[in-house]
Amino acid sequence: MAATMIAFYKEPTDREKLEKHLFEVHFPLVRKLPGLVKMEVNRFSGKGAPYYLMVTLYFNNKDERKAALMNSPEGQAVTADTQSNVPADKIVVAFADTVDTE
Protein backbone atom coordinates (compact mmCIF):
# COMPACT_ATOMS: atom_id res chain seq x y z
CA MET A 1 0.00 0.00 0.00
CA ALA A 2 1.43 3.39 -0.98
CA ALA A 3 1.81 6.12 1.63
CA THR A 4 2.08 9.87 1.20
CA MET A 5 2.84 13.00 3.14
CA ILE A 6 1.12 16.14 1.91
CA ALA A 7 2.19 19.65 2.89
CA PHE A 8 -0.29 22.44 2.21
CA TYR A 9 1.22 25.93 2.21
CA LYS A 10 -0.96 28.96 2.92
CA GLU A 11 -0.22 32.18 1.06
CA PRO A 12 3.05 33.50 2.53
CA THR A 13 3.83 37.10 3.34
CA ASP A 14 6.64 37.01 0.75
CA ARG A 15 5.93 34.40 -1.93
CA GLU A 16 9.14 35.11 -3.87
CA LYS A 17 11.32 34.63 -0.79
CA LEU A 18 9.58 31.41 0.23
CA GLU A 19 9.67 29.89 -3.23
CA LYS A 20 13.34 30.75 -3.63
CA HIS A 21 14.06 28.91 -0.39
CA LEU A 22 11.81 25.97 -1.22
CA PHE A 23 13.17 25.37 -4.70
CA GLU A 24 16.84 26.10 -3.97
CA VAL A 25 17.26 24.69 -0.45
CA HIS A 26 14.27 22.76 0.91
CA PHE A 27 13.26 20.59 -2.04
CA PRO A 28 16.86 19.42 -2.63
CA LEU A 29 16.88 18.29 1.02
CA VAL A 30 13.55 16.50 0.53
CA ARG A 31 14.85 14.66 -2.54
CA LYS A 32 17.51 13.05 -0.30
CA LEU A 33 14.91 11.31 1.91
CA PRO A 34 15.54 7.57 1.91
CA GLY A 35 12.73 5.62 0.28
CA LEU A 36 11.20 8.65 -1.43
CA VAL A 37 9.59 7.40 -4.65
CA LYS A 38 8.26 10.67 -6.04
CA MET A 39 7.68 14.31 -5.13
CA GLU A 40 5.00 16.52 -6.71
CA VAL A 41 4.63 20.27 -6.29
CA ASN A 42 1.30 21.86 -7.26
CA ARG A 43 0.24 25.52 -7.23
CA PHE A 44 -3.44 26.19 -6.66
CA SER A 45 -5.23 28.75 -8.77
CA GLY A 46 -8.60 30.42 -8.69
CA LYS A 47 -10.31 32.60 -6.17
CA GLY A 48 -11.01 31.12 -2.80
CA ALA A 49 -8.33 28.41 -2.82
CA PRO A 50 -7.46 27.82 0.85
CA TYR A 51 -3.81 27.09 -0.01
CA TYR A 52 -1.41 28.31 -2.63
CA LEU A 53 0.98 25.35 -2.82
CA MET A 54 0.74 21.61 -2.18
CA VAL A 55 3.71 19.26 -1.98
CA THR A 56 3.09 15.52 -2.04
CA LEU A 57 5.77 13.00 -1.10
CA TYR A 58 5.23 9.38 -2.13
CA PHE A 59 6.63 6.33 -0.37
CA ASN A 60 6.03 2.61 -0.95
CA ASN A 61 4.43 2.10 2.46
CA LYS A 62 3.90 3.59 5.92
CA ASP A 63 7.01 2.02 7.38
CA GLU A 64 9.25 3.56 4.72
CA ARG A 65 7.52 6.91 5.15
CA LYS A 66 8.00 6.83 8.91
CA ALA A 67 11.63 5.73 8.61
CA ALA A 68 12.38 8.52 6.15
CA LEU A 69 10.55 11.34 7.91
CA MET A 70 10.95 10.49 11.57
CA ASN A 71 14.03 8.32 11.92
CA SER A 72 16.55 9.43 9.30
CA PRO A 73 19.09 12.26 9.49
CA GLU A 74 17.65 13.50 6.17
CA GLY A 75 14.15 13.65 7.64
CA GLN A 76 15.45 15.54 10.67
CA ALA A 77 17.17 18.03 8.32
CA VAL A 78 13.92 18.55 6.38
CA THR A 79 11.95 19.09 9.59
CA ALA A 80 14.51 21.53 10.99
CA ASP A 81 14.56 23.48 7.75
CA THR A 82 10.76 23.68 7.68
CA GLN A 83 10.58 24.85 11.29
CA SER A 84 13.23 27.52 10.64
CA ASN A 85 11.78 28.87 7.40
CA VAL A 86 8.01 28.39 7.36
CA PRO A 87 5.82 29.88 10.10
CA ALA A 88 3.74 27.16 11.77
CA ASP A 89 0.51 28.96 10.85
CA LYS A 90 1.44 28.86 7.14
CA ILE A 91 1.71 25.08 6.70
CA VAL A 92 -0.58 22.11 7.27
CA VAL A 93 0.86 18.60 7.02
CA ALA A 94 -1.24 15.49 6.44
CA PHE A 95 -0.44 11.81 6.02
CA ALA A 96 -2.45 9.56 3.75
CA ASP A 97 -2.45 5.90 2.76
CA THR A 98 -3.74 4.58 -0.53
CA VAL A 99 -6.98 2.68 -0.15
CA ASP A 100 -7.56 -0.27 -2.47
CA THR A 101 -11.05 -0.02 -3.94
CA GLU A 102 -10.93 -3.30 -5.84
Side-chain angles (χ1 to χ4, degrees):
M1 173 180 0
T4 59
M5 187 206 89
I6 307 160
F8 297 95
Y9 292 81
K10 296 178 183 177
E11 186 66 44
T13 305
D14 186 340
R15 184 186 282 204
E16 186 176 317
K17 179 181 175 185
L18 178 63
E19 286 201 8
K20 180 175 176 49
H21 181 79
L22 289 175
F23 285 91
E24 293 179 9
V25 177
H26 190 72
F27 294 157
L29 289 173
V30 171
R31 286 186 191 96
K32 293 179 182 177
L33 288 170
L36 180 68
V37 174
K38 179 181 175 181
M39 178 174 78
E40 288 181 339
V41 178
N42 296 279
R43 281 191 187 94
F44 291 96
S45 58
K47 293 183 179 181
Y51 302 102
Y52 103 93
L53 194 71
M54 178 178 75
V55 179
T56 307
L57 307 181
Y58 295 86
F59 297 90
N60 287 317
N61 56 56
K62 284 197 257 187
D63 290 337
E64 287 184 17
R65 180 184 65 201
K66 183 178 179 181
L69 298 172
M70 307 298 182
N71 301 327
S72 73
E74 296 87 352
Q76 292 171 2
V78 167
T79 299
D81 184 70
T82 301
Q83 292 172 342
S84 296
N85 293 286
V86 180
D89 66 338
K90 294 291 184 182
I91 189 169
V92 175
V93 175
F95 298 94
D97 304 310
T98 302
V99 177
D100 186 5
T101 60
E102 298 294 315

